[in-house]
Amino acid sequence: MSSATWIVVAAGGGCTASSSAPAGADGAPSTAIQASAAQASAPGLIDGPVSGCGEPSTAPTRLPTALSAEPEVLADAVLAVGEGVTFGAAELAVEMRRPLMWMGEGPPEPSPELIYRRGEATQTLRGLVPGETRVVDGVRVRHRWSEERDKVWVYVTDLDCPVEHEQMDMPEPGAPLWTWLSSRAIGQAGFGHPHSTKVVLQLSRSRRGPWISLQGISRPSYANLRAMADLEEGRPLVVELGPARVFVEEVVVEAAPVHRGAEVGAAPTPVVHARVRYERGEGPPAIRFPPGEDNPCGSPSPLRSEPRRLLEAPPRVGAYHLGAGERVALGELALTMVLEPLPGPSVFDHRPPQALTRPIVRAEIDGEERTIRNMPAVLRAGETIAWITREPGADPTVVAVEAYRAACDPIVRAPLPDRPTLLWLGTAGTTQVRLGDEGGDQVFFELLREDEGPPRVAVSSVSREHGSRSLMFEANADATPVAVDTGLATIVGNWQVELGAEASGSTGPPRWYAIAIPYIPHAVDPTATDAP
């Protein structure tokens, strides 16, 4: 790598320099963000009664009438086995059912299931999580089982509005869209195409309060990003996630409806509506890091230097072959190979019963045990890196293990930077960086690598003002950089990904990765100066 100053201006999802300005003392967005919001809201708020269900529009509206009106309750009941409730021509009932397919010998015992019946048609409602709303045959169904699973609460309301919205086109630059997310109507809105770029907004709620979650897919950036932020009445919110900039402009919270869910532990939750402005994101800001002195492990620094230890293949310190019951201790890591019996034939499997096994590895790390079934796999414990695989053409009951000595400490702790800072993560070096002090604002970076594929970077933040955020992206040297907002700072993923040297004569990981991540605090303009 050259020692010249890096200036990166990437197209694609991200944020502008102005969006990195600080939040105000009262929790409102920064001056720069407020100016952007005022400009984007130029059409003005549509006053008076609003029809529709809050579908995306080119101008903001007040809360639609259909969302503020309480829906008709068709059923609110707690059912035991053999009981049911009818509404119109439909019925919900609890019956003992045995699954049609199973693994192992003999059929399992019957268990209670929630059955929806309308005429001759029936379906079993499985997979519902507590509080989730499912649309079934034109009505909304919520449910919750008791801890003993001997009775279930069902809550059915009429369906005047859809529960989700899908739009295949992303908004054009400078042409935002507004939508109302509501626990009574559209709870999820998706924009874009999953084969290119897509962002999904979802409104959720629980006893601790409402929150909004974003899931982003950016194929050019090899990014699968997530963010979550708590919602409060009277507090605007801005979340930037790769190709999208989302403004929560208004939050309306209504009293929780009274229902019988408390009989099985389902406490009433308030009705929540949020007016959201969705804009196409811009490219990450230009980022300048002056050259610095030697920084072999890439510790957080306002200067740029080559992390030479992360770009070198770590030394191999041992190679082992483990048969059934054999164990090897590698520093803080201990590995034991076990032959695990495979599940017996299912009711549809007509092969004769036979004792099939597969090799697995039980790993002990700091007193905790993990089971490795999918190989190849990578494990890290202290300064030890273990590469576990089944060698092609070798004895299928033997597992190969190669041990390497990491080049750098696995965890780095540092204060929250007050200036643009560059930090490095490496599969052969530092895999965790923790910024901030315990009990205060914090940002965590972790490099995750469990197989021979590219590693992922997980970022999570905790802030008194911004709540919690989390996101993840896959490291790829060919990716377009993507900017994400943790609430405290802008972080640019896939800004630079380096592939390190390969170990000579090794069958270990095919690539060692080093990943540079710029951290830009909201309190500074990253383009203001080249000086630290």
Side-chain angles (χ1 to χ4, degrees), residues 162-411:
V163 296
E164 61 182 29
H165 173 82
E166 289 289 337
Q167 181 166 317
M168 301 301 285
D169 298 325
M170 299 281 285
E172 294 298 325
L177 293 175
W178 281 262
T179 187
W180 277 94
L181 298 180
S182 173
S183 55
R184 280 188 181 143
I186 299 174
Q188 177 176 299
F191 300 89
H193 198 286
H195 291 167
S196 55
T197 299
K198 182 174 182 178
V199 173
V200 177
L201 318 179
Q202 185 170 4
L203 179 68
S204 302
R205 55 187 176 152
S206 67
R207 293 182 182 180
R208 69 179 180 86
W211 74 92
I212 188 172
S213 62
L214 286 75
Q215 299 183 37
I217 299 174
S218 178
R219 301 298 182 188
S221 301
Y222 292 82
N224 185 5
L225 309 173
R226 297 173 182 264
M228 293 191 302
D230 294 333
L231 299 179
E232 297 179 15
E233 283 190 289
R235 185 173 73 93
L237 176 69
V238 183
V239 179
E240 302 198 29
L241 187 71
R245 181 187 294 124
V246 174
F247 296 78
V248 179
E249 297 181 335
E250 182 179 357
V251 177
V252 178
V253 179
E254 300 180 15
V258 178
H259 54 61
R260 296 184 59 186
E263 297 178 30
V264 294
T269 53
V271 177
V272 182
H273 318 281
R275 187 178 71 237
V276 176
R277 183 169 90 250
Y278 178 95
E279 296 181 357
R280 183 190 288 261
E282 301 177 8
I287 309 169
R288 301 178 175 92
F289 291 103
E293 300 298 327
D294 188 39
N295 187 5
C297 289
S299 299
S301 171
L303 306 177
R304 178 188 60 80
S305 58
E306 184 176 276
R308 52 182 175 79
R309 290 187 183 175
L310 302 185
L311 302 177
E312 300 171 351
R316 186 173 62 167
V317 295
Y320 312 89
H321 289 82
L322 302 181
E326 294 183 338
R327 184 177 187 273
V328 60
L330 305 170
E332 301 176 28
L333 174 66
L335 304 174
T336 303
M337 202 281 270
V338 178
L339 292 178
E340 180 183 58
L342 291 173
S346 72
V347 68
F348 295 108
D349 192 342
H350 301 292
R351 296 178 301 172
Q354 50 184 319
L356 299 177
T357 61
R358 62 176 173 182
I360 65 171
V361 173
R362 301 200 188 280
E364 299 174 33
I365 305 175
D366 295 332
E368 297 183 0
E369 185 175 288
R370 289 182 54 187
T371 300
I372 309 300
R373 290 185 171 88
N374 298 321
M375 303 177 200
V378 181
L379 289 179
R380 173 76 182 265
E383 65 174 13
T384 301
I385 303 172
W387 171 253
I388 307 169
T389 187
R390 289 191 286 264
E391 296 179 347
D395 186 342
T397 63
V398 173
V399 169
V401 177
E402 287 193 356
Y404 300 85
R405 186 171 62 250
C408 306
D409 292 336
I411 301 175

Side-chain angles (χ1 to χ4, degrees), residues 513-528:
Y513 284 77
I515 302 158
I517 306 176
Y519 176 97
I520 307 168
H522 284 181
V524 298
D525 180 352
T527 64

Side-chain angles (χ1 to χ4, degrees), residues 60-93:
T61 71
R62 297 199 182 277
L63 184 66
T65 305
L67 305 189
S68 58
E70 293 188 10
E72 179 184 358
V73 178
L74 304 178
D76 179 17
V78 177
L79 306 175
V81 175
E83 296 179 343
V85 60
T86 60
F87 43 95
E91 179 190 19
L92 280 171

Side-chain angles (χ1 to χ4, degrees), residues 224-226 423 425 431-434 443-449 455-461 469-475 484 486 491 515 517:
N224 185 5
L225 309 173
R226 297 173 182 264
L423 60 91
L425 299 175
T431 55
Q432 292 185 40
V433 174
R434 302 177 182 179
V443 181
F444 306 91
F445 302 80
E446 184 172 9
L447 185 65
L448 305 173
R449 190 178 196 184
R456 296 167 296 155
V457 175
V459 183
S460 60
S461 67
R469 309 279 178 91
S470 61
L471 51 96
M472 184 176 292
F473 61 87
E474 179 183 293
V484 291
T486 66
I491 292 172
I515 302 158
I517 306 176

Side-chain angles (χ1 to χ4, degrees), residues 20-38:
S20 299
D26 59 355
S30 68
T31 303
I33 292 177
Q34 287 175 336
S36 174

